[in-house]
Each structure stands twice: as structure tokens, then as C-alpha cells.
């Protein structure tokens, strides 16, 4: 991520320190993670100390300080999904892409996370890829579903 | 600045408006225990050990004395069995993190807290924020901050700033009610700038 793109995002928010979280979210969605150089740039431009940025970026789970894959795979492990076989879904996903929850593969293609409820229990078990919901998913369908993401 | 009249532990106390209960109590020599309070810093209200009972607007509630502004005719009690119980539990919880802190041991003795009540999870930090706030508010260096949240929350020095500023300063060390701060600094020193000399 270049300094220009970061500056553009910061300018879009009028360089306001109060927009810090919005700016970080924009960088996160553009770049999939928050590199240290980007945070230093934000700190400098907004005049917000690095300690505060560190506090915020480690507090919220939506920020990542390590590289993430191009596709975010979330498997819901909430109660409703759990009783409908979320564990088997998770096991199959892990087998397919070869990483555990919280990890990213070497090609930076996928990152896997478990979530505790995404609020659509009627669709369980649910897997979300890049914000797209795959409800009522059977372990056998997972390989085909993941093929659609390059 | 207008003067307000209130009652603390049965004593009539006058305080200027805008003062906190803690300041009003200290001005007449009534002691309220504190851990995260420092007179030069903005009130934080993190440790809750200064909790007192107040009667205001027709009801009794437990509030943090270091944050609560005084009001006319406020009735404050700093020592009741309920408060003793609250403070005892707080000390017991904090002792699970920092069992060797002298300040906590003194409070434990005073309130009869059992340091063994909770399983030890010695992070040595009780999140009072004194070092973080001192560095930000007084020194304006922001060399140390909190990271993470909940049970994993801890203090962390920013190596780039710490390597430049902390050698000469170290003013936050004596503020720490436990020894966690010094330990964290020694750790980051060892990890981040092993070649620098003191």
C-alpha cells in the first residue's frame, strides 16, 4: 500500500483525528491488513500518538496487524449452527484450505476465522466468504463453494 | 467559584463546585483508599477502590469518589459494611494479578482480603493506567500504552519512542502500584534494543 493511497483515505475523512477508526477501517478493507508503515503515516498525519493507535487496533477484532488473505472465510460456531453441525463444516474448511482458525495460508488467498453468531440462525450452519452468506451448507458442498473465490 | 456544603461521614465539609468527593474528603483529612488516582492526572476511575456511598436525589448509590463531583447537601459515607465488602472483593481480584504488591497487601490487611481467594494469574498489572496517563498527560511522550482487551489487556512500550525517551525519564516507575511496569520495560529493553547501554 502506497503513501498516496493512505493520504487519499485520510483526506477523504478531512484529516480529522475523530475519524481515526473509519480511516483504519478503510485501510483495512483496501489492504486486508494494517502494515506498520501505514499506521505510522496515519499517526503522523492525524497527530494521534502511536500508543493510542496500537490500543485501538489491538482492541477491535476487525483490525489485523498481520497480513491477511484476499478472501475472508468465517465459519459460524454459534449455538444454532453448532447443533446443526458447524464443527463438521469447520473441519472440512480446514482440510480444504489447510489452515486453522485465525490463520492465513502462504499464498495469501484465504484467512479463516470462527465467529460466534452472525444473526441468521435459521440458515445454520453458515459459512461467510467475503461477506457473502452460504447458508445450510453441507460439508460436501464446501469444496465447490470455495472454488468460486480466486 | 461557588462553595458547596456537603456531609462526609457525618462531618460538614465545604468544597468548591467542580471538586470531586475525593478532593473534598482529603481537604478535611478523611482518607479514602485509592490506587489509580494521581493528583496531577485526570481522574480515571479504573480501580474502583475509592468507591463511596452517596445519598443524592433521593436514592443511595455507590460511586467512585475520584470522579464524582460534589453537590450541595450531598451525603457521603466512606466506611460502611457494604463498601468494606466491595473493597475486599476488589483487592482479592487485583491480588490474583499482583500478589506481591505492597500497596495491595496493605489494603488486604485493612479490609481482611484473602489473597488466595482467586486463582493466581500473575500478570502483575492491575490496569490502573498511571504509567500510560502520566506519559501521555505530563510528559506528552506516549511511550507506553495499553494493547489488547479483556483478560489479555496489558501495557506495552512503543520501542521507537522508548529507546529515545525512557532512559532519561523513568518517572513512571515509582507510580506503579505493582512492579509490572518496570518488568515490562526491562522485557522490551531486552527484546528491542539489546545493544543499548544504560
Amino acid at each position: 500500500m502506497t503513501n498516496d493511497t493512505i493520504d487519499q483515505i485520510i483526506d477523504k475523512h478531512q484529516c480529522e483525528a475523530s475519524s481515526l477508526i473509519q480511516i483504519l477501517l478503510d485501510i483495512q478493507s483496501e489492504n486486508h491488513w494494517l502494515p506498520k508503515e501505514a499506521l505510522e503515516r496515519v499517526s503522523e498525519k492525524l497527530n494521534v500518538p502511536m500508543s493510542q493507535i496500537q490500543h485501538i487496533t489491538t482492541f477491535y477484532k476487525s483490525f489485523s496487524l498481520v497480513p491477511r488473505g484476499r478472501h475472508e472465510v468465517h465459519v459460524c460456531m454459534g449455538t444454532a449452527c453448532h447443533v446443526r453441525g458447524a464443527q463438521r463444516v469447520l473441519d472440512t474448511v480446514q482440510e480444504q484450505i489447510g489452515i486453522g482458525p485465525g490463520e492465513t495460508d502462504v499464498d495469501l488467498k484465504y484467512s479463516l476465522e470462527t465467529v460466534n453468531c452472525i444473526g441468521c440462525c435459521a440458515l445454520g450452519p453458515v459459512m461467510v466468504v467475503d461477506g457473502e452468506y452460504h447458508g445450510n451448507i453441507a460439508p460436501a458442498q464446501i469444496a465447490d463453494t470455495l472454488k468460486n473465490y480466486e | 467559584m461557588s462553595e458547596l456544603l456537603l456531609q462526609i461521614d457525618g462531618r460538614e465539609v465545604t468544597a468548591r463546585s467542580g471538586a470531586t468527593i475525593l478532593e473534598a474528603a482529603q481537604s478535611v483529612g478523611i482518607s479514602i483508599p485509592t490506587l489509580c488516582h494521581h493528583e496531577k492526572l485526570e481522574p480515571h476511575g479504573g480501580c474502583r477502590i475509592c468507591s463511596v456511598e452517596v445519598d443524592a436525589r433521593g436514592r443511595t448509590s455507590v460511586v467512585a469518589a475520584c470522579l464524582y463531583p460534589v453537590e450541595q447537601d450531598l451525603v457521603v459515607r466512606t466506611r460502611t459494611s457494604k463498601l468494606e465488602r466491595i473493597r475486599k472483593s476488589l483487592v482479592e481480584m487485583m491480588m490474583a494479578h499482583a500478589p506481591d504488591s505492597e500497596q495491595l497487601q496493605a489494603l488486604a490487611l485493612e479490609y481482611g482480603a484473602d489473597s488466595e481467594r482467586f486463582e493466581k494469574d500473575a500478570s502483575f498489572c492491575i490496569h490502573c493506567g498511571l504509567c500510560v496517563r502520566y506519559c501521555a498527560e505530563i510528559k506528552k511522550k506516549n511511550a507506553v500504552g495499553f494493547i489488547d482487551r479483556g483478560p489479555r489487556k496489558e501495557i506495552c512500550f512503543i520501542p521507537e519512542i522508548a529507546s529515545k525517551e525512557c532512559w532519561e525519564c523513568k518517572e513512571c516507575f515509582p507510580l506503579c502500584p505493582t512492579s509490572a511496569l518496570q518488568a515490562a520495560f526491562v522485557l522490551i529493553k531486552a527484546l528491542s534494543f539489546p545493544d543499548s547501554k544504560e
Side-chain angles (χ1 to χ4, degrees), chain A:
Chain A
M1 191 169 210
T2 61
N3 271 346
D4 282 347
T5 1
I6 299 169
D7 287 353
Q8 261 171 28
I9 292 173
I10 295 173
D11 288 339
K12 202 174 84 195
H13 293 279
Q14 286 85 43
C15 216
E16 287 273 356
S18 56
S19 305
L20 175 62
I21 290 182
Q22 276 310 321
I23 290 167
L24 293 174
L25 279 172
D26 284 359
I27 297 175
Q28 169 84 37
S29 66
E30 185 109 341
N31 195 47
H32 302 298
W33 69 291
L34 302 171
K36 194 176 171 197
E37 296 73 35
L39 296 182
E40 274 163 0
R41 185 84 187 166
V42 172
S43 165
E44 199 180 298
K45 292 272 278 186
L46 300 186
N47 212 5
V48 175
M50 201 57 187
S51 60
Q52 212 171 328
I53 294 183
Q54 241 186 29
H55 190 14
I56 292 168
T57 49
T58 52
F59 187 92
Y60 293 106
K61 218 183 160 183
S62 40
F63 296 125
S64 175
L65 296 174
V66 289
R68 305 287 287 169
R70 294 190 299 283
H71 302 297
E72 296 259 359
V73 183
H74 294 247
V75 177
C76 182
M77 302 302 280
T79 315
C81 291
H82 175 80
V83 296
R84 291 171 183 222
Q87 190 58 52
R88 265 178 293 143
V89 172
L90 181 64
D91 290 346
T92 318
V93 173
Q94 285 191 31
E95 216 169 273
Q96 288 287 332
I97 57 182
I99 49 168
E103 294 175 353
T104 301
D105 63 356
V106 275
D107 312 325
L108 294 185
K109 189 172 172 193
Y110 295 114
S111 290
L112 179 61
E113 287 289 343
T114 58
V115 288
N116 292 326
C117 185
I118 43 181
C120 50
C121 304
L123 298 179
V126 184
M127 175 175 82
V128 185
V129 186
D130 293 344
E132 259 182 82
Y133 287 64
H134 302 276
N136 252 324
I137 196 157
Q141 298 171 304
I142 286 170
D144 281 339
T145 314
L146 288 175
K147 257 184 219 150
N148 298 329
Y149 299 93
E150 262 320 307

Side-chain angles (χ1 to χ4, degrees), chain A residues 36 49 51 54-55 58-59, chain B residues 142 146-149 158 160:
Chain A
K36 194 176 171 197
S51 60
Q54 241 186 29
H55 190 14
T58 52
F59 187 92
Chain B
N142 295 293
F146 282 117
I147 57 165
D148 228 316
R149 63 176 159 169
I158 311 271
E160 287 84 355

Side-chain angles (χ1 to χ4, degrees), chain B residues 67-133:
Chain B
L67 286 172
Y68 200 91
V70 291
E71 292 164 13
Q72 180 68 28
D73 300 327
L74 195 69
V75 177
V76 182
R77 286 178 297 277
T78 68
R79 282 176 190 274
T80 65
S81 59
K82 186 179 180 184
L83 292 173
E84 304 259 315
R85 221 170 47 239
I86 290 173
R87 288 179 192 154
K88 175 170 169 276
S89 299
L90 286 170
V91 172
E92 284 168 344
M93 285 190 272
M94 286 188 272
M95 284 194 106
H97 289 295
D100 298 324
S101 155
E102 282 174 19
Q103 278 187 48
L104 286 178
Q105 280 170 352
L107 285 168
L109 203 63
E110 188 177 350
Y111 293 98
D114 172 13
S115 66
E116 304 292 320
R117 180 171 167 197
F118 297 108
E119 198 183 326
K120 292 272 179 299
D121 178 17
S123 63
F124 306 105
C125 180
I126 56 168
H127 302 148
C128 66
L130 279 172
C131 52
V132 175
R133 289 179 293 138

